[in-house]
Amino acid sequence: MREVSPSLLDTEGSAQYLDPEAWLGVYRRLDMPIRVRVATSVHEHARELATLFYTEMLADPQARPLLSPNVVSQRLHSSLMRWLRNLFEAEATPDVAGISHLQFTVGEVHARIGVPVPLVLRGARILKAALADKLAQQPDLDRDELFRAQQFVGQLVDLAMEVMSSAYLTSTKRAARTDEAYRLFSLGQDVSMERERQRAALMEWSQSVLLDLYYTDRRNVLPTLRTSEFGLWIYHKGRAIFDGMPELAPLMRAVGEIDATVLPRLTAAVPQTGEERVGIEQLKQRVADIKFLLNALFDRISAVDAGRDPLTQLLNRRFLSSVLTREIALANRTHCPFAVMMVDIDHFKRINDRYGHDGGDAILRQAADVLQTACRASDYIFRYGGEEFLLLLVDTDREGLAIAAERVRLSFVERVFRVKEGMRLPITVSIGAALFDGHPDPQRLVTRADQALYSAKHAGRNRHVLDADDAPVDAH
């Protein structure tokens, strides 16, 4: 099993940090005794400074959607304390490469989770002002020393902001290109096949509603369009594919109107009455509207050969960041849970060693087929690398995640894999899964799932482990 990449976004060449001499110049311009006093003050007041910073941020309308009191208390508060102490360390020769790299990493994280640059600069202003006040309260600094210490604080924080901004700009441009590539990929699917698949899913839901109306014991639990196969597809994948097209908004409104208005009216209507017939006609009309809009949307897109993973024909890993970012934004708006599942073929190296790469490739292609069968049309399946796959399961809570993980595991156990003509091979998988917990960084969610996968393999393979579980779930 590979280690998780340091970033979900591929690195564009070597990171372009500021010249180390710029950092050394700031550090060297201040006498060591005063630097020690600054560092001491930062260490003494780091907790207080972090508390002040996040109190201000949690009260800011721009910052509030990106933060939560739990994430602040459990993770971010201590991270800011470490950042302050690292930046103002009082070493004779500071590790400027490490300090600069940390600022660049922070800038990349800000870009991934969409922290506005003005908000970052406001946070820097809060910290500079608070540190200046703390230094002014030190009785052993004369007027000249206080001025130089406060100037040092301002220059060092400004330099950190420069590196963060550079990383933010680089990452944002890269993410925009990746997002556009994913859009092109989405447009490059088999349009005619997808059109028919979604039309059939819509009609299947419509027929199930009409059938339920004829059974009085089932009419009170009519299936909503939003939770149907079509609804999940249009809500997650369709909105990415058709983003910006004029027919998308009225189609989504029609879906919402059916669930919020038409179905409740049908549920309340007395069977075999004029009220019910009017409701059924309204339902048919809205479904017809959706079919018309769906056709118009598919007509607008054209097949673009954007490519897939050449071996498995699954999504390429390069689109993972775009998809996760979309789902995180959607989950934050709608409070709809989703999860990530890492699937690793057990003892795959032995297969390659014994049967060669052709045999290994044959197993990977069949594994992709198993995953596509075990997952819903609305879920995302990625070839993550080597023998690892990553699944993004939409509208999934913890109980549903456990069920899905076991379903995937059993699908491999029950499948007859053929490594060569006439040669069968039993294949098992280890699975690690994590539920989205509100943290805005997509890389953290993938890391949690990967750590759970490591636990599953360490516990003996052919099992699944959910993140934060005390014990793995054994194979049956």
Side-chain angles (χ1 to χ4, degrees):
M1 182 178 63
R2 287 175 345 282
E3 293 182 0
V4 176
S5 168
S7 172
L8 291 177
L9 302 174
D10 293 334
T11 303
E12 277 186 351
S14 59
Q16 299 299 311
Y17 309 129
L18 291 185
D19 187 342
E21 290 302 318
W23 289 92
L24 290 174
V26 174
Y27 284 115
R28 289 168 177 167
R29 275 195 292 272
L30 191 65
D31 296 338
M32 179 57 73
I34 304 178
R35 276 180 54 198
V36 170
R37 292 177 194 173
V38 172
T40 301
S41 181
V42 169
H43 276 260
E44 289 178 353
H45 300 290
R47 184 175 300 279
E48 182 183 348
L49 291 168
T51 299
L52 171 66
F53 178 88
Y54 281 115
T55 299
E56 294 275 349
M57 290 294 106
L58 286 170
D60 189 290
Q62 269 192 309
R64 201 178 299 120
L66 302 170
L67 300 171
S68 74
N70 284 340
V71 171
V72 168
S73 63
Q74 294 173 9
R75 184 178 178 88
L76 299 181
H77 191 279
S78 58
S79 294
L80 181 56
M81 290 172 59
R82 287 194 299 272
W83 179 82
L84 286 166
R85 289 166 176 163
N86 176 273
L87 186 63
F88 291 99
E89 65 178 25
E91 299 293 331
T93 305
D95 177 18
V96 293
I99 293 171
S100 186
H101 185 275
L102 176 61
Q103 314 315 310
F104 200 90
T105 300
V106 172
E108 288 187 316
V109 172
H110 287 168
R112 278 203 301 271
I113 66 180
V115 179
V117 172
L119 194 62
V120 177
L121 297 179
R122 178 169 179 256
R125 178 167 53 82
I126 292 170
L127 289 175
K128 286 194 292 185
L131 274 169
D133 288 342
K134 294 300 179 186
L135 291 171
Q137 295 170 18
Q138 290 206 12
D140 55 345
L141 288 175
D142 62 31
R143 186 173 180 178
D144 178 65
E145 289 174 334
L146 175 61
F147 171 78
R148 293 169 62 198
Q150 291 176 333
Q151 186 182 49
F152 170 72
V153 166
Q155 290 176 339
L156 208 51
V157 173
D158 287 347
L159 196 51
M161 292 303 106
E162 285 184 43
V163 180
M164 287 185 196
S165 298
S166 174
Y168 189 100
L169 181 62
T170 300
S171 294
T172 301
K173 288 181 178 179
R174 191 166 52 216
R177 288 198 299 272
T178 301
D179 197 55
E180 180 61 22
Y182 171 68
R183 177 74 184 281
L184 290 174
F185 171 83
S186 299
L187 297 180
Q189 305 308 294
D190 188 329
V191 175
S192 60
M193 182 180 296
E194 195 62 63
R195 183 202 302 258
E196 292 309 312
R197 183 184 296 120
Q198 296 312 317
R199 281 167 55 93
L202 176 62
M203 296 313 299
E204 181 180 353
W205 170 84
S206 176
Q207 292 299 319
S208 71
V209 170
L210 294 175
L211 184 63
D212 285 353
L213 286 173
Y214 287 99
Y215 294 90
T216 55
D217 60 332
R218 288 161 56 181
R219 64 186 297 124
N220 291 330
V221 287
L222 295 177
T224 62
L225 182 54
R226 167 68 180 81
T227 57
S228 69
E229 277 295 321
F230 171 79
L232 289 173
W233 183 88
I234 192 67
Y235 205 72
H236 293 274
K237 286 190 176 179
R239 293 210 301 189
I241 294 172
F242 303 130
D243 185 35
M245 298 183 186
E247 294 86 0
L248 180 60
L251 187 151
M252 300 302 293
R253 284 196 298 270
V255 171
E257 184 179 348
I258 285 176
D259 287 345
T261 304
V262 177
L263 292 183
R265 286 177 182 172
L266 279 171
T267 298
V270 178
Q272 306 299 320
T273 63
E275 184 183 9
E276 184 186 64
R277 285 191 289 273
V278 170
I280 290 174
E281 286 303 314
Q282 288 178 335
L283 176 65
K284 290 180 177 178
Q285 183 59 53
R286 292 296 175 271
V287 170
D289 292 342
I290 291 173
K291 286 172 59 181
F292 174 80
L293 293 167
L294 187 66
N295 280 331
L297 287 166
F298 274 112
D299 286 341
R300 281 183 176 272
I301 64 176
S302 57
V304 177
D305 185 14
R308 290 176 173 266
D309 172 65
L311 178 64
T312 64
Q313 295 300 298
L314 299 178
L315 277 168
N316 192 295
R317 180 182 172 182
R318 67 184 293 214
F319 301 128
L320 178 58
S321 180
S322 296
V323 174
L324 276 172
T325 300
R326 287 176 183 271
E327 288 301 319
I328 287 175
L330 184 60
N332 287 332
R333 287 198 309 271
T334 64
H335 306 290
C336 183
F338 76 94
V340 164
M341 186 188 302
M342 302 287 289
V343 180
D344 186 282
I345 299 176
D346 293 331
H347 304 297
F348 185 74
K349 185 177 184 301
R350 296 181 188 175
I351 299 172
N352 265 341
D353 291 344
R354 183 172 181 180
Y355 301 103
H357 289 291
D358 288 345
D361 288 351
I363 297 300
L364 289 172
R365 283 192 290 267
Q366 292 169 75
D369 182 59
V370 170
L371 292 173
Q372 288 176 313
T373 302
C375 293
R376 301 166 297 179
S378 53
D379 297 327
Y380 293 87
I381 310 173
F382 296 85
R383 168 90 183 279
Y384 195 66
E387 69 274 22
E388 278 189 312
F389 302 87
L390 185 146
L391 281 54
L392 190 153
L393 310 179
V394 303
D395 279 26
T396 300
D397 58 15
R398 188 170 183 82
E399 181 182 1
L401 178 57
I403 293 171
E406 184 63 7
R407 182 175 64 246
V408 169
R409 189 192 70 80
L410 287 174
S411 295
F412 277 86
V413 171
E414 296 167 357
R415 171 71 177 255
V416 177
F417 285 82
R418 289 178 170 80
V419 66
K420 289 183 178 180
E421 186 176 352
M423 186 177 294
R424 299 181 178 184
L425 193 66
I427 296 294
T428 62
V429 292
S430 298
I431 298 172
L435 194 69
F436 175 61
D437 63 356
H439 196 285
D441 187 358
Q443 183 174 312
R444 181 170 177 268
L445 180 59
V446 175
T447 299
R448 287 171 49 218
D450 194 72
Q451 289 170 344
L453 172 61
Y454 177 82
S455 297
K457 297 184 82 68
H458 185 72
R461 297 181 170 84
N462 189 23
R463 64 197 67 214
H464 75 260
V465 170
L466 303 190
D467 176 61
D469 270 2
D470 292 328
V473 181
D474 290 329
H476 300 294

